[in-house]
Amino acid sequence: NLLVAKKTRTSTEKQTRNGAGKSSFVELVHFMLGARPSESNAFLKKTAELADARFQLAMDLGGQLIEVQRSPVGVPKGKIELVRGDPSAWRVQVKFNKKRGEFVLDQGAWKTQLGHAMFGLSTQAVGDDDEAALEPTFRMLFPYFARRDREGGFAKPEQHATKQQLGDQQIALTYLLGLDVAIPGELEGIRRREAVLKSLAALRKAGGMGGALPQASELFTRLSVAEARAAALERELAGFRVIERYVELEAEANLHSRHIATLKDDNESDLALLTTLEEALRDERPPKYADVERAYREAELVLPELVRKRFEEVEKFHASVVRNRRSYLEQELADAKARMEVRRAQMAAADRRRAEILATLSSGGALETYTKFQGELMQVNAEVARLRELHRDVKKIEGDKTTLDLERKRLLVRLQNDHEEQADTLKLAIQTFERISSALYQNQDSGSLEISAKENGPEFRVVIPAGKSSGKNHMQIFSFDMMLMELMARREQGPKGPGFLIHDSALFDGVDGRQVGRALDLGRKLSAEHGFQYIVTMNQDTLEQAQHEARVDLDAHVVPVPLTDETETGGLFGFRFD
């Protein structure tokens, strides 16, 4: 089926698009088959004109003719309405809208059903990021059968988009060729784990994880010390007894200590006083008046009687004074000894009470102390948790790379064994591609398909001899896509793909007119031979040149839908997108 647009507006050789709607037709097919309209699409640029629009798609799906309807901006947004068809045998839940009298599916359920009916998929990732899955999904496989120029679909045969990830490509092509799809899925999982390790290593090197990270061995030492400290604190808290009135008892013990010290000081003072009093008692005696009388007698002087009498009176007086003084000193001495004895008793009592208090305090602690220990334990436990997690991350950085390398080598052996076991399948793909490419170039400068087992997964590569030009590369994409269609059509069991292949006019940019004609004629023959629909969009002048140079007649295959850029309403939507 040739969807042809008449090109009348002036454009340069590089400006081969004319805005009639050829590429928009491809985008519409993707939109109707579960794709989300991107910002680059016309659907979101002209919301006013498309507010009430309903696009419909009629197709054979799972052996029955169905018709679905979808609106890019209207209600129900993101829903697919089944206008025609019986969903009773479908694998997904389809709700019946009584108000509209139609069955309604959400986007995820629609893709699940498409994946099962077209490719035999048992599961389907739900959402717009299902292309990043580790197993085949519908949106991962279908773009190979309707490449989009704006996504870079005509850059390489093995890629349907320039941003397509390696794992996405390997999983999709492995599944489409009938090889073991689990191997590239596991390899993609390894690549994602390696990406995480690289990010952690980069953060570690740059100090983005709270400073430059030490080695795992150093972290293990710090972790061991922290764990020992935590265990010690836990034991201390387990045996800790909180004593009531701890602070009051501690204050009382301090008071007794101060009181004992005061009593000791007072006893020292009285002890010094005792020494002084005892010396005074020893020295206390009356004057020796008899010596005075003897001195007079030796001098042959005789004291008068009156003087002698006076001496006797004085001597009696002094004797009385001395007796009184000694009595006083003896009393002072006794009082000092009594005070010291009282203090010793008080000191003994205070010391006993203080000993009792200290024994009580030594058996436990205050609530404040217990709370302080608890806080310290929480801090140590937090540090233990931090070090344990950090040690685990560093071990992952240092150790997982070795593990992943071993897993890669193990998967390489599995991949090599799978290619060995599936040698006939690989040969069929290679030979089919070679035959189609040779038919285009009539055995001159044809390309070849190489499928090899590498440590990074299966490699699919198209080799073009005699240099690489955009035209030759595009024709290898044509050969690659036709190879996929033929292989799926020749499958004896299971779904045979979408049953149609769409090529936008961008595929033929830079291709010699004769080669374009040969490609279109070959596509006509292969689609007729294998029973699939081949849809091509192109400008009228390109088609006419191709038919003329290749000497083929394709007019009977032109779809009777007039597309032209001659008028503002001649495009696919009936108005022009600027």
Side-chain angles (χ1 to χ4, degrees):
N1 300 113
L2 300 175
L3 179 60
V4 179
K6 183 179 180 181
K7 179 181 175 184
T8 60
R9 296 185 179 233
T10 303
S11 60
T12 65
E13 292 183 358
K14 294 183 179 180
Q15 295 173 327
T16 56
R17 310 280 77 76
N18 64 348
K22 301 186 302 299
S23 296
S24 293
F25 164 74
V26 181
E27 293 290 345
L28 271 175
V29 173
H30 277 275
F31 174 69
M32 297 304 297
L33 296 182
R36 180 179 62 178
S38 63
E39 293 295 334
S40 61
N41 284 343
F43 310 125
L44 298 182
K45 291 183 178 179
K46 286 286 184 177
T47 55
E49 290 84 345
L50 297 178
D52 299 322
R54 292 288 189 276
F55 295 103
Q56 292 184 348
L57 172 68
M59 64 184 298
D60 291 319
L61 184 68
Q64 69 166 317
L65 178 63
I66 68 165
E67 188 173 339
V68 292
Q69 178 173 273
R70 189 181 183 190
S71 171
V73 294
V75 179
K77 187 175 181 180
K79 300 291 184 180
I80 290 83
E81 300 167 281
L82 182 62
V83 180
R84 178 182 178 183
D86 180 13
S88 59
W90 287 10
R91 299 172 61 87
V92 297
Q93 182 180 6
V94 182
K95 297 181 180 179
F96 184 74
N97 189 322
K98 295 181 180 180
K99 184 177 181 181
R100 300 180 64 89
E102 295 170 340
F103 292 101
V104 179
L105 301 86
D106 60 34
Q107 189 173 333
W110 177 228
K111 289 188 292 184
T112 298
Q113 181 58 31
L114 289 172
H116 173 67
M118 290 187 184
F119 300 106
L121 301 178
S122 58
T123 59
Q124 167 70 41
V126 178
D128 295 316
D129 297 326
D130 53 352
E131 288 86 346
L134 297 180
E135 57 186 11
T137 67
F138 173 73
R139 292 303 310 168
M140 184 188 292
L141 302 175
F142 177 72
Y144 281 101
F145 302 91
R147 295 176 184 262
R148 290 179 284 185
D149 184 34
R150 95 170 17 100
E151 300 291 335
F154 300 110
K156 293 181 179 181
E158 65 272 16
Q159 288 184 334
H160 62 64
T162 53
K163 294 183 178 180
Q164 184 184 12
Q165 298 296 315
L166 177 62
D168 182 291
Q169 168 200 315
Q170 290 178 339
I171 294 171
L173 293 181
T174 297
Y175 185 80
L176 291 175
L177 293 178
L179 303 174
D180 186 355
V181 74
I183 298 174
E186 291 181 35
L187 275 169
E188 177 60 18
I190 288 177
R191 278 191 288 268
R192 295 182 186 180
R193 288 161 62 189
E194 287 174 338
V196 172
L197 293 182
K198 288 179 181 178
S199 299
L200 287 174
L203 284 173
R204 172 188 177 185
K205 185 176 181 180
M209 300 176 71
L213 295 183
Q215 299 296 320
S217 57
E218 181 182 345
L219 282 171
F220 183 75
T221 298
R222 290 165 55 182
L223 175 61
S224 301
V225 172
E227 287 176 341
R229 174 59 180 157
L233 282 171
E234 287 176 353
R235 288 194 299 270
E236 191 168 353
L237 281 172
F240 194 96
R241 184 171 69 90
V242 178
I243 298 176
E244 297 181 6
R245 296 177 56 246
Y246 183 93
V247 176
E248 296 179 13
L249 290 174
E250 189 176 40
E252 184 182 349
N254 293 334
L255 181 63
H256 285 299
S257 295
R258 291 194 298 271
H259 184 50
I260 290 171
T262 301
L263 292 174
K264 284 183 178 180
D265 291 341
D266 290 344
N267 269 5
E268 289 293 331
S269 298
D270 278 345
L271 184 60
L273 178 61
L274 284 176
T275 301
T276 303
L277 291 175
E278 288 174 349
E279 290 178 355
L281 279 173
R282 286 195 301 270
D283 296 338
E284 193 69 34
R285 58 180 180 274
K288 296 181 180 180
Y289 296 105
D291 294 340
V292 175
E293 185 179 1
R294 188 170 53 257
Y296 269 86
R297 194 167 45 247
E298 290 176 353
E300 295 182 353
L301 296 176
V302 178
L303 289 174
E305 187 65 25
L306 180 61
V307 173
R308 184 182 295 110
K309 186 177 181 180
R310 183 62 179 166
F311 271 133
E312 290 175 354
E313 289 176 356
V314 170
E315 184 177 12
K316 290 179 182 180
F317 172 74
H318 279 286
S320 174
V321 170
V322 168
R323 283 194 303 273
N324 291 337
R325 174 67 177 169
R326 287 184 64 85
S327 176
Y328 170 75
L329 292 175
E330 288 172 353
Q331 185 61 45
E332 284 292 314
L333 189 62
D335 291 345
K337 289 179 179 180
R339 288 195 303 270
M340 290 177 66
E341 197 62 33
V342 170
R343 290 193 192 103
R344 289 191 186 96
Q346 291 176 346
M347 287 169 61
D351 189 57
R352 284 193 300 273
R353 176 56 181 162
R354 184 180 64 175
E356 293 174 358
I357 295 173
L358 291 177
T360 301
L361 295 179
S362 64
S363 66
L367 180 61
E368 291 83 356
T369 305
Y370 184 80
T371 304
K372 179 182 177 182
F373 284 166
Q374 278 188 322
E376 185 177 352
L377 178 60
M378 289 178 62
Q379 291 179 351
V380 173
N381 280 336
E383 179 67 6
V384 167
R386 187 187 72 85
L387 288 173
R388 186 174 291 128
E389 183 176 356
L390 208 55
H391 180 250
R392 183 179 63 247
D393 290 342
V394 173
K395 278 184 63 180
K396 179 178 289 293
I397 296 173
E398 295 179 356
D400 276 12
K401 187 178 185 304
T402 302
T403 303
L404 293 178
D405 288 342
L406 292 174
E407 289 187 25
R408 272 185 176 276
K409 288 179 171 56
R410 176 181 58 81
L411 287 173
L412 174 60
V413 173
R414 280 180 55 190
L415 183 60
Q416 291 171 337
N417 291 338
D418 182 55
H419 283 194
E420 185 76 21
E421 295 170 1
Q422 299 286 344
D424 291 341
T425 300
L426 295 178
K427 288 179 182 178
L428 180 60
I430 293 171
Q431 292 168 357
T432 301
F433 178 88
E434 186 82 16
R435 175 170 47 81
I436 296 172
S437 180
S438 297
L440 283 177
Y441 288 93
Q442 297 184 351
N443 296 318
Q444 295 180 356
D445 295 337
S446 61
S448 60
L449 173 64
E450 295 181 358
I451 304 174
S452 55
K454 303 289 186 179
E455 189 171 323
N456 202 29
E459 184 179 274
F460 307 90
R461 192 165 69 97
V462 173
V463 179
I464 305 174
K468 183 178 180 180
S469 66
S470 61
K472 287 184 178 181
N473 182 59
H474 284 183
M475 286 300 93
Q476 302 312 319
I477 293 175
F478 172 89
S479 302
F480 190 87
D481 293 352
M482 282 295 172
M483 177 267 295
L484 289 178
M485 287 301 301
E486 182 174 330
L487 291 180
M488 299 210 71
R490 292 172 62 174
R491 286 184 176 177
E492 296 180 358
Q493 297 180 348
K496 300 180 181 296
F500 59 86
L501 174 66
I502 302 176
H503 277 158
D504 187 22
S505 60
L507 177 65
F508 302 102
D509 288 350
V511 180
D512 179 78
R514 183 172 52 181
Q515 293 299 120
V516 175
R518 287 177 182 171
L520 294 177
D521 191 47
L522 182 57
R524 176 185 62 81
K525 293 177 181 178
L526 290 173
S527 61
E529 179 182 354
H530 297 290
F532 64 85
Q533 184 180 18
Y534 183 39
I535 303 173
V536 182
T537 71
M538 62 171 38
N539 288 328
Q540 184 179 20
D541 55 349
T542 303
L543 176 61
E544 292 174 350
Q545 182 182 2
Q547 292 188 100
H548 173 71
E549 296 187 13
R551 296 181 182 181
V552 294
D553 184 8
L554 301 170
D555 289 341
H557 300 281
V558 175
V559 177
V561 177
L563 295 181
T564 178
D565 63 359
E566 186 174 4
T567 63
E568 294 296 317
T569 59
L572 183 68
F573 296 96
F575 57 87
R576 180 167 295 279
F577 293 99
D578 297 325

